[in-house]
Amino acid sequence: MSEESEKKSYRYLVTLRWYIEIDEKLVPGSERSDEKILEVLRHRINGTTSCSTCPTRNQEGYAILEHHDFMGDKTVYMTQDKIKE
């Protein structure tokens, strides 16, 4: 097969930002922080649980960033009080 007819694939790392609000200060890298962040992000903005194919169910990593450095006047995606039991 010639090089001209070979299909090339390109891979990219895509990061997304969700702004969340919770009732405690988080420690980056702790298991408790991991669980707390993922629990909040695994809900839709209307408070219902997201589906198994949702991007927040299949993450490979995350970073905790203080909101004032990046957020400005952005809308908060999800807060704990929106989550429906």
Side-chain angles (χ1 to χ4, degrees):
M1 193 178 251
S2 73
E3 285 185 39
E4 291 178 22
S5 64
E6 286 185 38
K7 183 178 177 184
K8 288 190 173 188
S9 294
Y10 301 93
R11 293 182 180 187
Y12 301 94
L13 169 64
V14 177
T15 60
L16 304 171
R17 280 192 273 193
W18 287 280
Y19 301 105
I20 64 170
E21 184 175 281
I22 58 174
D23 59 2
E24 66 184 83
K25 186 166 180 72
L26 299 177
V27 176
S30 75
E31 187 175 335
R32 171 116 173 93
S33 292
D34 292 353
E35 291 171 8
K36 189 89 166 180
I37 289 170
L38 294 175
E39 175 59 26
V40 172
L41 285 177
R42 290 178 173 164
H43 289 81
R44 292 182 186 88
I45 202 163
N46 68 3
T48 60
T49 304
S50 61
C51 67
S52 64
T53 60
C54 182
T56 59
R57 295 263 176 197
N58 300 290
Q59 85 292 336
E60 288 196 20
Y62 72 90
I64 299 172
L65 305 172
E66 292 292 333
H67 80 280
H68 56 76
D69 293 334
F70 302 94
M71 191 167 169
D73 292 330
K74 303 280 194 270
T75 303
V76 172
Y77 166 72
M78 181 52 113
T79 64
Q80 283 181 303
D81 56 336
K82 288 183 183 178
I83 295 174
K84 296 178 182 175
E85 299 298 322

